[in-house]
Amino acid sequence: MARLTDRAFEILRAEVDKCAAADSLAGDVYRRMVIKRLEKLRSQNGTFASREEIRDTFKDEFPNFSEQALKAAVKANRPPGLFGKIIFAGSLLGSAAGIIWLINLPFPMIRWPVAKTMPILLLPSFMSMDHNYRQAIALVEQSDQLINKATAVADFDLGEIKAKEAQKHLDALPVWFLGYYPQTYCSFFGCRWRFTVDEFQAARKNVGRMEAQIFQQKNAFTQLNQVEQTLNAAKQEYQQAKTAADRQKATVNWQSAIDQLNQIPAETLAGETAKKTLKAAERDFQAMGGVATGSVQADNLIEAAKEFALSAAVASQKPPHPAAQWEQIAQLWQEAINRLKLISVDNPGYLDAQTKLAQYQQNLGITQIRLEAEKDSATALQAAKSLLANLQKDVNSQNPGYSLSQLQQIINQLESVKPSTTVYPESQKWLQSARKKQQEWQKN
């Protein structure tokens, strides 16, 4: 595009001729110089010459150049109308393709007048819209099939990808251009599809609905995975539990997982999967019900036995104790043993019960030995005291039946008193006295 239009050149040349005629001496010379400069501008391609560039061609030679003529020339040095502007912009882009690209930009102020006068120039736009429309509709249908007829979580992942692609194609459609202008395109190419705002909005609603479905479905699968992990952990905890408290905790977690399975939305694919998992979990839980009940009973009996054993152990501390206390301790151990014997062989807690039973029976045996020792020692001390009383009577009455043999019997009884008994300290005092008396009599 010439930097100076023919119309602008003619306006400027007429004013130059007028100024040159007014200068009789150098007017003709200045005229040729200015005209040559203007001819050069007219022969150059590029952006239109500015007001200052035009002024520079004559300001030194003709300072009295008319401002009105300059203004008219500047105004004429522009392309006429919209298409002139489009062609001008196209020249800046360097080719006809640039012009087509420009008028197909998504700007209503460009497309609107072009569509009215030369709609064929908008063919790339219509082709792009046709492509995006078809892709959007196809992808919406594909994602709808994947989501509403899904058989695995992978279908939702693929459906989500298709829905996002459909959304991109919908976003590429100029909403303000729907409903009317594509009809022109259809008149040229005989398309069968209806490209309306209502259909566009329906597609967008479908995409939004499917995005919500995908979100719900994925959340449901996440919830299902978490519940299944909790359920498996509870089963493992129950199988590995060694105490009643551990089994009770595992049972609570097991039941909680079953309750959570019931909370997964039934309308989701995860909900359908959860139904199968729920049946298996309830079946296993019910099957474990009898075992759990037996375990609870065994745990209760073992805990009760522990309480009796603890009382017996506390009562046994800091011996020696009187026979009555040892009898009470033995009774406590026996009660603990009786509780453990109630646990049957087929009970899950049988092995644990047998371990404690062996321990408690051993403790009962030790207690019974201590009891017998306490009783025998008390009897021996009492017998020694009785013999000593008889011996004192013989001494006071100077009974001739007095003899060392009687004193030896007393010593024998005192020596039979066991060290770990309540009467042992007293028996040692009596024994020391008897042995001393025995030594005195043997000397005499």
Side-chain angles (χ1 to χ4, degrees):
M1 179 62 65
R3 300 193 64 201
L4 187 66
T5 64
D6 292 339
R7 175 60 181 162
F9 177 79
E10 294 299 331
I11 295 173
L12 293 171
R13 185 172 63 176
E15 183 62 25
V16 168
D17 290 343
K18 183 179 178 180
C19 292
D23 188 352
S24 58
L25 295 177
D28 188 55
V29 176
Y30 289 159
R31 176 185 176 280
R32 287 196 298 272
M33 292 174 60
V34 173
I35 293 300
K36 187 177 180 179
R37 295 169 185 166
L38 294 175
E39 287 285 358
K40 185 178 180 181
L41 279 177
R42 189 170 62 166
S43 65
Q44 292 176 347
N45 290 326
T47 59
F48 290 108
S50 65
R51 185 187 188 95
E52 294 302 322
E53 286 180 304
I54 296 173
R55 185 190 294 277
D56 288 342
T57 62
F58 58 76
K59 67 178 181 179
D60 293 332
E61 290 76 12
F62 301 115
N64 59 341
F65 197 93
S66 172
E67 287 293 330
Q68 291 183 350
L70 176 60
K71 183 177 181 181
V74 172
K75 184 176 181 181
N77 196 37
R78 293 290 183 273
L82 174 66
F83 287 104
K85 295 180 180 179
I86 294 175
I87 294 172
F88 166 68
S91 67
L92 297 181
L93 298 175
S95 66
I99 298 175
I100 299 300
W101 173 82
L102 179 64
I103 63 178
N104 278 275
L105 289 175
F107 301 123
M109 69 288 296
I110 296 178
R111 290 196 189 196
W112 196 278
V114 174
K116 288 183 178 180
T117 55
M118 297 184 68
I120 192 63
L121 296 178
L122 296 176
L123 181 61
S125 292
F126 293 131
M127 293 178 65
S128 174
M129 292 166 63
D130 186 10
H131 170 73
N132 286 316
Y133 168 80
R134 292 176 184 274
Q135 289 294 319
I137 297 302
L139 289 168
V140 167
E141 292 178 355
Q142 292 175 19
S143 58
D144 186 66
Q145 287 290 323
L146 287 168
I147 294 170
N148 292 314
K149 295 184 179 181
T151 58
V153 68
D155 293 338
F156 295 112
D157 294 333
L158 182 58
E160 184 178 16
I161 294 174
K162 296 292 184 181
K164 289 181 178 179
E165 291 178 356
Q167 185 64 58
K168 290 181 180 179
H169 286 291
L170 289 173
D171 291 340
L173 296 174
V175 182
W176 55 271
F177 210 51
L178 299 177
Y180 175 72
Y181 289 106
Q183 295 176 6
T184 304
Y185 171 79
C186 291
S187 67
F188 287 126
F189 296 94
C191 58
R192 298 178 180 178
W193 45 274
R194 294 180 58 195
F195 200 50
T196 64
V197 176
D198 291 339
E199 190 174 9
F200 173 79
Q201 294 295 343
R204 289 185 68 90
K205 290 180 180 178
N206 283 338
V207 172
R209 174 181 55 80
M210 286 185 291
E211 287 178 346
Q213 284 183 273
I214 292 171
F215 181 79
Q216 182 185 27
Q217 293 282 358
K218 286 194 169 184
N219 277 351
F221 268 107
T222 300
Q223 184 179 359
L224 176 60
N225 291 334
Q226 293 175 348
V227 173
E228 287 179 341
Q229 291 177 4
T230 303
L231 182 62
N232 293 331
K235 290 180 180 180
Q236 188 174 3
E237 288 175 2
Y238 188 88
Q239 293 172 355
Q240 297 177 351
K242 295 182 179 180
T243 64
D246 292 341
R247 280 190 286 272
Q248 182 65 25
K249 181 180 178 182
T251 302
V252 172
N253 292 338
W254 195 337
Q255 184 61 59
S256 176
I258 291 176
D259 294 339
Q260 291 177 28
L261 284 174
N262 280 313
Q263 295 174 4
I264 297 177
E267 64 274 10
T268 62
L269 180 60
E272 296 178 2
T273 306
K275 291 180 181 178
K276 301 176 183 178
T277 305
L278 179 62
K279 290 181 180 179
E282 289 179 339
R283 182 185 64 246
D284 294 342
F285 192 76
Q286 290 174 358
M288 291 297 296
V291 177
T293 301
S295 297
V296 171
Q297 292 175 350
D299 291 338
N300 291 337
L301 289 171
I302 291 174
E303 290 300 319
K306 286 181 179 180
E307 291 297 324
F308 283 107
L310 178 61
S311 298
V314 171
S316 300
Q317 292 178 354
K318 298 180 181 181
H321 302 298
Q325 185 168 344
W326 285 119
E327 288 178 353
Q328 182 182 10
I329 293 171
Q331 185 177 0
L332 290 172
W333 285 120
Q334 187 61 56
E335 290 294 335
I337 291 170
N338 293 341
R339 299 304 189 278
L340 295 177
K341 286 183 176 180
L342 293 175
I343 300 175
S344 60
V345 177
D346 58 349
N347 193 291
Y350 179 76
L351 182 60
D352 189 19
Q354 290 300 304
T355 301
K356 294 188 178 302
L357 181 61
Q359 179 184 351
Y360 294 172
Q361 285 179 334
Q362 182 180 7
N363 293 340
L364 175 61
I366 294 173
T367 301
Q368 290 174 339
I369 292 173
R370 300 294 293 270
L371 173 61
E372 291 301 321
E374 184 68 27
K375 287 182 177 180
D376 292 344
S377 296
T379 301
L381 178 60
Q382 187 61 39
K385 286 181 177 182
S386 297
L387 290 172
L388 184 59
N390 293 332
L391 180 59
Q392 289 176 347
K393 290 179 181 180
D394 292 340
V395 172
N396 294 333
S397 60
Q398 296 181 353
N399 189 335
Y402 170 77
S403 66
L404 286 172
S405 62
Q406 291 178 315
L407 185 60
Q408 185 60 48
Q409 291 179 5
I410 295 172
I411 291 174
N412 291 340
Q413 290 292 336
L414 292 173
E415 286 179 343
S416 67
V417 176
K418 303 298 181 181
S420 299
T421 59
T422 57
V423 297
Y424 180 74
E426 183 180 1
S427 68
Q428 292 302 299
K429 294 178 181 180
W430 288 105
L431 179 61
Q432 184 178 5
S433 177
R435 285 174 177 173
K436 184 178 180 181
K437 181 64 68 176
Q438 184 183 41
Q439 292 176 358
E440 291 177 358
W441 289 348
Q442 286 177 347
K443 290 178 180 181
N444 297 330

